[in-house]
Amino acid sequence: MARLFGTDGVRGVANEGLTAELALGLSMAAAHVLGDADGLGGRRPVAVVGRDPRASGEFLEAAVIAGLAGSGVDVLRVGVLPTPAVAYLTGALGADFGVMLSASHNAMPDNGIKFLARGGHKLDDAVEDAIEADYRGHADGTLDRARPTGAGVGRVHEYTEGFDKYVAHLVAVLPNRLDGVRVVIDGAHGAAARVAPEAFARAGAEVVYTLGAEPTGLNINDGVGSTHLDGLRKAMAEHRADLGVALDGDADRCLAADAEGNEVDGDQIIAILAVAMREAGTLRRNTAVGTVMANLGFKLAMEREGIGLVETAVGDRYVLEAMKEHGYALGGEQSGHVILLDHATTGDGTLTGLMLGARLAATKRPLAELAGVMTRLPQVLINVKGVDKSRVGECDELTLAVKAASEELGGTGRVLLRPSGTEPLVRVMVEAADHHQAETVAERLAGVVRAQLAV
């Protein structure tokens, strides 16, 4: 039986794979596992519930709240806010856990349920497994638990102060104001469409243009946001801004663009912030955390700057685990998930963009110059769809093809092939000193994946 939880919660096509019944059952299970009244001194557990603007989030939110309140959990409904805002509020309000409804950068028909532990932290695999076991036990009738009645049911409260409380937190943790920095913001028609422009304005930046700032419930990530940078690039050139910031649907990631419209990816952002934090004495253990997908140029830059680098598996949860275990302050992914652990418990795209703006304001240097701390080596990533991603590690032909490609590249490049943790596809990544070579090898390997893992 396939595991319900992926690398970032439970996701699926809303009302198909991810139904109201599933949302109801999972929230009841989470109430039992995360909100067990034992040890709470007799008080009722409290959960913060938020969502992104997807239309399906409306009925899924209703199902989640019904499951929680029906299980004796008091609910603080914060409405449409970014994932990192729900995480922050879970900790700041002393809630026992949080729930975020979002499929992040995925297309509008998808949605997801992400549970957060006390303090706003992501769940360990063991806790997710416990929630899933509880859910399945009730679904098949092997578990039965009395439900509260009367005064024992949970109450639902509208927490309207969440927006201002979160924005105030973002501005308060900045090392300096952003006065004089001209910014373009792409909110992906998502959860930060209002939050991000407000935070930048309060921090002193001049928000000269916004796009992706009119969510309808149907247009999230549609041609905008961190996975579609063309609009941001064009706006940067038109408005002569200093910094372009592109968020994704739930605003837990951020990519940027310089004054000429050139992309500044997650690796470059981490490199810029690592140098800034080292200078400020806040880069604990003088080390940043990245993943195996980080560009080789990023690794070389950290080595040149005398900054340590710890590598993890792909996924911001693994970056976060390494940061918490060893006490690091900065980590993230090339995709734009950047974790600033002194100020957030998860990736926070708005905070990341603000920190970039603060660095521009403090140094008076253009973003292109700051990003020059590292040189990106040619990297080609191909997402191969329509294949059985579960067989990646079992296919001998694929293993041999990867080995041959690695030998061909030698010490000037590398190959990484892995199944996506959130989508039904296999990612083929190739780095090489020459873009043509990287593209050729990647296309060849993608062909092997299609041939060997076809469904």
Side-chain angles (χ1 to χ4, degrees), residues 27-300:
S27 62
M28 293 173 66
H32 178 236
V33 174
L34 299 174
D36 195 326
D38 293 341
L40 297 183
R43 68 170 176 82
R44 252 195 319 245
V46 177
V48 172
V49 177
R51 65 180 180 87
D52 72 22
R54 294 167 207 264
S56 60
E58 297 168 3
F59 78 79
L60 290 171
E61 177 191 57
V64 165
I65 291 175
L68 295 177
S71 300
V73 177
D74 286 342
V75 175
L76 298 176
R77 181 180 178 273
V78 300
V80 175
L81 282 177
T83 290
V86 174
Y88 167 72
L89 292 170
T90 298
L93 299 177
D96 297 291
F97 63 100
V99 188
M100 178 68 187
L101 294 156
S102 176
S104 189
H105 61 283
N106 287 18
M108 183 275 295
D110 290 352
N111 215 322
I113 305 175
K114 183 187 304 184
F115 296 102
L116 299 163
R118 186 178 286 110
H121 298 280
K122 290 195 173 185
L123 302 184
D124 295 333
D125 288 347
V127 179
E128 290 181 340
D129 289 341
I131 294 173
E132 183 168 337
D134 190 285
Y135 164 75
R136 294 193 187 280
H138 279 84
D140 63 21
T142 58
L143 288 178
D144 190 21
R145 186 167 47 250
R147 299 182 184 180
T149 58
V153 301
R155 305 300 298 273
V156 181
H157 307 277
E158 300 291 327
Y159 187 77
T160 57
E161 299 94 334
F163 180 97
D164 282 327
K165 189 174 184 70
Y166 172 60
V167 171
H169 159 70
L170 293 176
V171 176
V173 302
L174 295 176
N176 53 268
R177 287 181 55 81
L178 276 61
D179 299 283
V181 178
R182 292 168 53 84
V183 183
V184 172
I185 300 173
D186 182 348
H189 295 311
R194 289 179 54 235
V195 163
E198 178 69 15
F200 272 88
R202 288 194 198 179
E206 181 185 356
V207 181
V208 297
Y209 185 71
T210 60
L211 63 157
E214 299 178 356
T216 65
L218 305 177
N219 59 357
I220 190 168
N221 299 320
D222 186 8
V224 290
S226 61
T227 53
H228 304 279
L229 293 179
D230 287 349
L232 180 66
R233 293 191 185 103
K234 181 179 178 181
M236 289 296 292
E238 289 180 353
H239 295 277
R240 302 171 64 87
D242 304 305
L243 170 65
V245 172
L247 308 172
D248 66 337
D250 70 335
D252 65 351
R253 68 169 72 181
C254 164
L255 293 180
D258 65 21
E260 301 300 320
N262 300 307
E263 177 184 348
V264 178
D265 69 13
D267 288 343
Q268 294 169 294
I269 291 171
I270 297 168
I272 293 169
L273 297 183
V275 172
M277 292 171 67
R278 181 195 61 192
E279 293 177 0
T282 58
L283 187 67
R284 291 199 298 275
R285 303 183 66 178
N286 194 42
T287 298
V289 181
T291 76
V292 294
M293 283 286 285
N295 191 279
L296 185 57
F298 171 66
K299 301 175 187 179
L300 296 174

